[in-house]
Amino acid sequence: MSRRLALVIFPDFQLLDVAGPIAVFEIAERYRPGSYDLTVEAVEGGQIPSSSGVCLAARPLSQGPLHTVMVSGGDGTRDVEGLQGIVRWLRTVEVQRPTSVCSGAYLLAEAGLLDGRRATTHWSRTDDFARRYPRVKLDADRIFIRDDDVWTSAGITAGIDLALALVEDDLGAEVARMVAQALVVHQRRPGGQSQFSALIDLGGRTGRFGPLMDWARANLALPLTVEQLADQAAMSPRNFARAFVVETSTTPAKAVERLRLEAARAAVENGFDPIDRIAEAVGFGDPERMRRAFLRAFGLPPQALRRSARS
């Protein structure tokens, strides 16, 4: 069965929002010929400039029926009013699986397709998105979210994760795994993985807590309580906790857990130390506590990730 799949773009779209998924579906088609009939589409078609200035040739929007519509994100979504042609089309086109990458969620929400549903978008747009679309159950701390047949994803490279998940849904886990290998993507990140990892690494939107995060990463075996972190940042615990959430959109405790998870995952996949020793070294202490954190973040326990890395 060939699935009609339209990737929708507009002036100032983000190029990787489209190019990443295209590569995923192209390679899936090599493994399972006839699986996808892929088109890039825009309101009137033609050469559509991305935010980088690189243009893609697009066809006019299809009349349907379509199996999947994937709406790209990008700077162009800052003017949703200027994209009402796409919004009107989304309200009327017959589509089985509406999806979006990054701020493409704005167009799905504007069309009413996300009302009452869980959804995500790029972390930098979540405050604005929540104000504009209060009927959407926004979950900002996710790589991608599936609510029935409606899928949304976080920023830019998360479009690759989303596309791999769609391939897995269509063609099975083995094909998705082969596509990931061909793309030299280590493995598909589970949708529940936090998208704030990079923001934490940067020390927040302004980088204010960058040195603190470097210190915490070098001292993961310490308890790293709010009081310890606040003292290191020369702030009172209350002011520190409030400022940290504003900067990073997550709590100090969740940020510390994210640092521990990243260090633990690298040790699990690339080393040979026993799991309990890794748990102690990165500050989880109890292996069971680390196992639960892995399940929340990656969808797999440490032993399964190690086996996957070995294979």
Side-chain angles (χ1 to χ4, degrees):
M1 178 186 73
S2 182
R3 300 163 181 82
R4 291 188 65 195
L5 195 160
L7 287 95
V8 179
I9 61 175
F10 42 81
D12 287 334
F13 71 95
Q14 167 55 242
L15 187 61
L16 191 55
D17 284 1
V18 181
I22 285 175
V24 170
F25 294 117
E26 173 199 355
I27 295 172
E29 179 71 13
R30 294 181 196 172
Y31 290 121
R32 291 284 181 85
S35 294
Y36 295 106
D37 176 12
L38 177 67
T39 55
V40 177
E41 302 185 4
V43 173
E44 295 180 354
Q47 296 290 323
I48 309 299
S50 69
S51 56
S52 68
V54 175
C55 295
L56 286 186
R59 299 180 184 179
L61 293 173
S62 300
Q63 295 307 305
L66 294 164
H67 181 271
T68 301
V69 166
M70 181 176 287
V71 182
S72 69
D75 289 344
T77 60
R78 296 186 184 279
D79 178 21
V80 178
E81 292 302 315
L83 300 177
Q84 289 301 306
I86 295 175
V87 172
R88 288 191 294 270
W89 177 77
L90 286 170
R91 288 173 178 158
T92 59
V93 69
E94 182 182 347
V95 56
Q96 179 177 328
R97 189 169 61 182
T99 72
S100 65
V101 181
C102 194
S103 57
Y106 275 73
L107 299 182
L108 295 188
E110 188 75 11
L113 300 181
L114 300 182
D115 286 356
R117 296 186 182 276
R118 294 177 61 243
T120 192
T121 188
H122 192 279
W123 61 261
S124 68
R125 306 288 295 277
T126 54
D127 291 344
D128 178 66
F129 187 96
R131 285 193 298 270
R132 285 175 181 247
Y133 307 109
R135 286 183 287 184
V136 180
K137 299 175 182 176
L138 185 65
D139 190 344
D141 192 19
R142 291 294 181 266
I143 295 295
F144 64 84
I145 287 176
R146 177 182 187 176
D147 188 323
D148 196 13
D149 285 328
V150 181
W151 304 59
T152 54
S153 67
I156 309 180
T157 59
I160 296 174
D161 298 289
L162 172 63
L164 286 168
L166 296 176
V167 168
E168 182 173 330
D169 192 53
D170 293 336
L171 307 178
E174 180 62 18
V175 174
R177 183 187 63 81
M178 292 189 297
V179 173
Q181 287 180 333
L183 289 169
V184 200
V185 177
H186 177 65
Q187 64 180 38
R188 177 176 64 80
R189 294 178 291 179
Q193 186 169 335
S194 171
Q195 66 164 304
F196 292 125
S197 177
L199 188 58
I200 293 168
D201 287 343
L202 293 171
R205 290 177 170 84
T206 67
R208 175 182 182 182
F209 294 115
L212 176 64
M213 291 296 95
D214 290 341
W215 175 83
R217 192 177 289 107
N219 293 276
L220 291 176
L222 297 177
L224 296 181
T225 62
V226 169
E227 289 73 20
Q228 279 183 308
L229 295 170
D231 184 65
Q232 186 68 24
M235 299 173 68
S236 72
R238 178 178 296 181
N239 287 339
F240 165 73
R242 185 185 302 114
F244 192 88
V245 170
V246 170
E247 278 288 307
T248 68
S249 297
T250 194
T251 65
K254 287 184 177 180
V256 168
E257 181 177 85
R258 172 56 47 184
L259 296 179
R260 286 180 169 141
L261 279 167
E262 290 171 349
R265 180 172 184 169
V268 165
E269 293 182 334
N270 302 322
F272 297 90
D273 287 341
I275 300 299
D276 57 349
R277 187 177 299 173
I278 294 172
E280 182 178 356
V282 302
F284 279 114
D286 180 4
E288 176 59 22
R289 180 184 169 199
M290 187 171 86
R291 187 187 74 84
R292 292 195 299 268
F294 266 60
L295 287 172
R296 286 194 303 271
F298 309 128
L300 294 170
Q303 293 86 346
L305 281 178
R306 174 166 279 179
R307 286 194 298 270
S308 176
R310 296 289 184 267
S311 64

